[in-house]
Amino acid sequence: MKRIDEILEYIAKGTKKLSVEALLDGDGITAAEIADRQNMLRNNVSKELNSLLRADLIIKIKGRPVKFLHKQVIEEIFTVQLKERQIQVNSINEILLPGEQVDPFHALIGFMGSMRNQVEQGKAAILYPPKGLHTLIVGQTGVGKTMFARLMYNYGKYMKRFSEQAPFIVFNCADYYNNPQLLLSHIFGHVKGAFTGADREKEGLVEKADGGILFLDEIHRLPPEGQEMIFYFMDTNSYNKLGESERKRDANVLLIGATTEDPSSSMLKTFIRRIPITINIPSLQERAVEERFLILKHLFANEAHRVNKPIRVELETVKALIGSVTYGNIGQLKSNIQLVCAKGFLNSIHENKEEIELDFKILPGNIKEGLFNMGKNRKEIAEMEMVNSSLYITPEGSKGMDEADASELPFNLYKLIEDKIGMLKEEGLDDSFINKFITTDVNIHIKSFYNRFYNIKGGRERILKIVGRNILEFAEQVQEMAQKELNRKYSDRFVYAFSLHLSAFLKRIREKKYISKQIYDPMNDQDEEYRLALIIKDLIESKFEVSVPDAETTYVAILLKSVEEEHQGNVGIIVAAHGNSTASSIVGVVDSLLGSSNICAVDMPLDVSPREILEVVIDKVKDIDNGRGVLLLVDMGSLLNLEATIMERVGIKVKTIDMVSTPLTLEAVRKASIFDMNIEEIYQSLKDFRGYNNGNAEVKAEKVSNKVIVTVCSSGKGAAVKLKEFVEKVVYDLTEEKIVVVPAKVRELDKTVKDLRAKHTILAVIGVKRPSELNVPFIPLEKLIEASGEHALRELLLNNQLPVMHANESVVVRELCEDTLKEFMTYLNPHKILGILMKFIEQLEQELEVDFHYAKKVQLAVHTAHAMERMVIGEGLVYQGDVPLLDQRILDAVNRSCNIFASSMNMKLTNDEKYYICEILSEVYNCIPE
């Protein structure tokens, strides 16, 4: 066989081996690969390839490196006939559907592989007559559930099921899961006067999504009443706003929910039955290695576009990154790639290189270990043979699904503030609190952003890659002026944050996307930062010849308030633990929760010598130290011995804490990154830390207080812990004195009491068994929920000379009512209305000159709460009794007491609802004294 025929045959076989996804992603056969596999000279291969192209037998995919495909094989795979000759294109998509819109699902890696069934389900959900099928997407965090929902939306537009202007509304149910009233107000809207603070009618998400898709993320966080309202809407397409009595509104909305939980265990069965399609998205580990490789290439292409530089990735780095994902799926892979690219980007600036080189040496330890993870699975080793060369990614690659994300600047003050402000305003918080919250939040974000990307040599050069020199120099002038006018130090962190914000503002102005709205105005002319922001506003208008809206002054003032002078860096944290992945698992969880970059893991296999471990730890200490020392968290006391040796070897301050755990590590990172504590402060605050749950309260009691209350149930667990929590609430509301509540088992009660009495004063034992020592006060469990139990506890506190707060209402009644209302309330927030209900009952007692029994207080509170809810939805009860027979004195008392609802909540109970309350009172108190 001639050489040219051998090359053509090799290209044909290679093209057939490639998946549809790989072909659409730009894969192909390179000249270097042919020369290597066929044992030919590179220049001879290139010569023959040119001849094959002229003969119209192959297709040339331009780029670096150039790739080739067999033309006839491509025609067979895609069932097309390519009429063009000598095809040379940037992507095969250009010749498959020239000038036509491409099926959006073709952008999904694995759409013909591991995601094929999911894609078919998604298409069926969109196309099913007459209006599509509501869908639930299930999968772990980071698998791409939101992206899949957006692909379904794009497919709906592609197939003309939605108009081009159809909305795609995203709502995260977790944001308001603990406030059902506010959550339902967001989803369905409310009318004016629906609840306290509802001073205008509000459009709900269902109304906004009419004609399109409403995507409910973390749908398992919807409370049961929310699920019921949603499935009623799914059944009828009708709904009512909060405060309306009839469902007269209609909307044509396709609902897509997403959850990380098992739907059968976290959602109502009646709700699940109404969702006909459930799409399970596989984890990254369940995807074929080829697909993981394509996902990695796609993410690298986005980073190349973001930094506008080619990226060269060494083969071992590719394998390490693919193997590094252990828990976070595509989200974790994306974070790992961004971290590595950030390091490579800065190296390219230092070395004045035109491309980013990512070799194995620059990888963090936890990513390096990914190379060894890949080596544990024989099947993956075989599949990895397809990854046989380094990657070279150019900035011209498509941004694909991450287009919006890639175009965003790495710091956006608008987004930081606007993401928070709406929620805080909805909660009714005042401007002074919002101001403090926002400035603190912005400072934490800026600090994290700066520390991760700019707090090293070359930061100015890097920022110039993103913003213009004129903007950066203007920001430096503002920095100098702010330092002089406000008499405080502003670091480079302020310069970079202000530069990026100004760049984003000017871009919005140029693209006419700036919405001039004053979200809130917590500052005034008395704020020195606000006065300076007004001057800066004038300077921006003069310098850049734009009109600056008044709202922009607030944003600048927030920056001036938020950005403080940074220290040289955070304390470094190293987690070292025996085992193959113990330390990495802890760091992985912490990193996913707090996103910290000043922490690393050292896994210590049992067969590795202590000397080797010491060298690894020393290298980690040198890498992670920012000049403020390193905290070493270890699992065994023997590792404490490393501290002195490390400090002697490297001259870096090291402090060690043993018994490492995930909570301990979370606290260490939080104190180092967010509170910016020094190493000694962190060490002193954590050396006795043993987790968030004070499960050994009886052992630690002497460190907290010398007065204790013992709660006792049969198991010492479950019910005993619940009783402990209940008693703690009661005691907390009765006195400010610190009293430890210790749960005990029945069988161990006497021993626990004896042990505690040696060092403490036992105020009481509360529960199901009296202690043998008769001089220890005992309150039976059943008495605690009656007046006598609470009164006895109050007397015990007074007799022990503890301050007792005056209370007009029963703590126990309040707790029982709140627990009941939390279970059954749908629209109103139990916590917020409980105080009003207690005042209502207290007013009734005063009007009628009686003291209600505890049980009747609970009955009145629960009944009246439901009456208030019926007022919200306009579905009040109609009284069926004989009104003239009601006691007029009771009716007058109820009328006067109900005024509290009008004055505090702008709500009035109907006469019929008041009649039922009178009936409850008449049944129990038919002998009220004259």
Side-chain angles (χ1 to χ4, degrees), residues 712-780:
V712 56
C713 277
S714 57
S715 67
K717 299 180 181 178
V721 174
K722 188 71 177 175
L723 176 60
K724 170 184 180 292
E725 294 172 353
F726 186 76
V727 172
E728 282 176 335
K729 289 180 181 179
V730 174
V731 172
Y732 177 80
D733 281 343
L734 287 176
T735 180
E736 294 178 345
E737 188 76 12
K738 179 65 179 177
I739 296 173
V740 173
V741 180
V742 180
K745 299 178 182 179
V746 168
R747 293 181 180 179
E748 300 175 1
L749 174 61
D750 290 336
K751 182 179 183 301
T752 301
V753 168
K754 182 179 179 180
D755 292 344
L756 287 172
R757 290 199 72 177
K759 294 183 179 180
H760 310 284
T761 300
I762 300 179
L763 299 180
V765 172
I766 301 175
V768 298
K769 180 184 178 183
R770 182 186 296 275
S772 298
E773 296 190 37
L774 298 178
N775 59 342
V776 175
F778 174 65
I779 301 176

Side-chain angles (χ1 to χ4, degrees), residues 748-815:
E748 300 175 1
L749 174 61
D750 290 336
K751 182 179 183 301
T752 301
V753 168
K754 182 179 179 180
D755 292 344
L756 287 172
R757 290 199 72 177
K759 294 183 179 180
H760 310 284
T761 300
I762 300 179
L763 299 180
V765 172
I766 301 175
V768 298
K769 180 184 178 183
R770 182 186 296 275
S772 298
E773 296 190 37
L774 298 178
N775 59 342
V776 175
F778 174 65
I779 301 176
L781 178 59
E782 63 272 16
K783 292 293 184 184
L784 185 63
I785 61 174
E786 298 179 3
S788 58
E790 186 175 335
H791 291 161
L793 188 55
R794 187 185 295 271
E795 290 300 317
L796 283 170
L797 296 175
L798 288 171
N799 292 337
N800 282 273
Q801 297 182 334
L802 296 175
V804 177
M805 292 181 233
H806 175 69
N808 292 325
E809 63 190 42
S810 164
V811 177
V812 177
V813 167
R814 187 182 180 93
E815 293 299 330

Side-chain angles (χ1 to χ4, degrees), residues 648-712:
E648 183 180 345
R649 289 268 300 270
V650 297
I652 295 172
K653 186 171 183 178
V654 176
K655 300 291 287 186
T656 308
I657 298 177
D658 64 352
M659 301 294 287
V660 65
S661 63
T662 301
L664 176 68
T665 311
L666 279 168
E667 278 298 288
V669 172
R670 196 169 67 89
K671 292 176 184 295
S673 297
I674 297 178
F675 297 119
D676 203 25
M677 295 168 65
N678 63 44
I679 189 169
E680 194 62 39
E681 291 171 333
I682 300 172
Y683 174 77
Q684 291 299 330
S685 67
L686 294 180
K687 63 180 181 179
D688 295 320
F689 180 83
R690 289 296 178 263
Y692 298 115
N693 181 18
N694 190 16
N696 298 319
E698 63 268 38
V699 178
K700 305 185 187 74
E702 67 273 16
K703 297 179 181 178
V704 183
S705 168
N706 68 340
K707 296 179 176 64
V708 300
I709 291 175
V710 179
T711 58
V712 56

Side-chain angles (χ1 to χ4, degrees), residues 399-683:
K399 291 184 287 182
M401 293 306 298
D402 290 337
E403 182 172 359
D405 177 59
S407 64
E408 283 291 326
L409 289 173
F411 172 74
N412 190 327
L413 183 61
Y414 301 110
K415 183 170 178 58
L416 291 183
I417 294 176
E418 291 169 8
D419 280 355
K420 306 285 183 183
I421 203 69
M423 180 177 68
L424 295 175
K425 291 287 281 187
E426 288 281 1
E427 294 289 351
L429 300 173
D430 59 38
D431 284 343
S432 62
F433 178 87
I434 292 175
N435 180 29
K436 292 177 183 177
F437 182 93
I438 291 294
T439 51
T440 302
D441 193 60
V442 169
N443 190 45
I444 291 171
H445 276 84
I446 294 173
K447 182 177 176 181
S448 173
F449 151 79
Y450 178 83
N451 288 342
R452 182 171 293 189
F453 296 108
Y454 296 101
N455 193 14
I456 48 180
K457 183 180 177 182
R460 193 175 193 277
E461 288 77 6
R462 179 169 183 180
I463 200 71
L464 284 172
K465 299 287 183 179
I466 303 172
V467 305
R469 186 175 296 276
N470 60 335
I471 291 177
L472 180 60
E473 291 175 351
F474 179 78
E476 290 169 339
Q477 294 171 14
V478 170
Q479 174 198 29
E480 186 177 343
M481 180 174 64
Q483 291 179 153
K484 181 179 178 181
E485 295 294 328
L486 300 177
N487 193 27
R488 73 178 68 145
K489 178 70 175 175
Y490 281 98
S491 66
D492 288 344
R493 194 162 72 207
F494 170 80
V495 175
Y496 298 154
F498 183 80
S499 299
L500 290 165
H501 173 66
L502 180 58
S503 179
F505 163 71
L506 295 174
K507 180 182 177 183
R508 284 188 174 194
I509 292 293
R510 285 195 306 271
E511 297 177 355
K512 298 181 179 180
K513 292 182 179 179
Y514 191 95
I515 302 174
S516 180
K517 59 178 181 179
Q518 190 75 24
I519 301 177
Y520 82 116
D521 189 6
M523 303 179 188
N524 53 52
D525 291 342
Q526 302 304 311
D527 289 296
E528 55 183 352
E529 292 90 357
Y530 189 80
R531 291 199 302 270
L532 180 57
L534 289 169
I535 298 173
I536 294 172
K537 171 192 171 185
D538 294 338
L539 292 175
I540 294 172
E541 290 183 332
S542 174
K543 171 76 174 178
F544 299 99
E545 298 180 348
V546 295
S547 176
V548 179
D550 291 337
E552 191 65 21
T553 308
T554 299
Y555 289 117
V556 174
I558 288 173
L559 263 183
L560 291 167
K561 269 185 176 289
S562 300
V563 185
E564 304 165 355
E565 179 183 9
E566 87 277 3
H567 300 285
Q568 57 195 126
N570 296 324
V571 171
I573 297 171
I574 296 175
V575 178
H578 292 85
N580 293 327
S581 61
T582 305
S584 293
S585 297
I586 292 174
V587 171
V589 172
V590 173
D591 195 54
S592 66
L593 291 174
L594 299 181
S596 175
S597 59
N598 68 327
I599 183 171
C600 64
V602 175
D603 292 313
M604 300 183 293
L606 298 178
D607 57 350
V608 177
S609 70
R611 182 179 295 277
E612 291 178 85
I613 294 297
L614 175 62
E615 296 303 321
V616 172
V617 173
I618 287 175
D619 287 341
K620 295 281 189 182
V621 168
K622 290 189 290 187
D623 287 342
I624 205 170
D625 178 52
N626 285 323
R628 303 184 71 192
V630 175
L631 184 67
L632 187 59
L633 306 179
V634 302
D635 64 341
M636 295 186 189
S638 61
L639 292 171
L640 289 166
N641 301 327
L642 297 179
E643 184 179 296
T645 305
I646 295 171
M647 288 195 287
E648 183 180 345
R649 289 268 300 270
V650 297
I652 295 172
K653 186 171 183 178
V654 176
K655 300 291 287 186
T656 308
I657 298 177
D658 64 352
M659 301 294 287
V660 65
S661 63
T662 301
L664 176 68
T665 311
L666 279 168
E667 278 298 288
V669 172
R670 196 169 67 89
K671 292 176 184 295
S673 297
I674 297 178
F675 297 119
D676 203 25
M677 295 168 65
N678 63 44
I679 189 169
E680 194 62 39
E681 291 171 333
I682 300 172
Y683 174 77

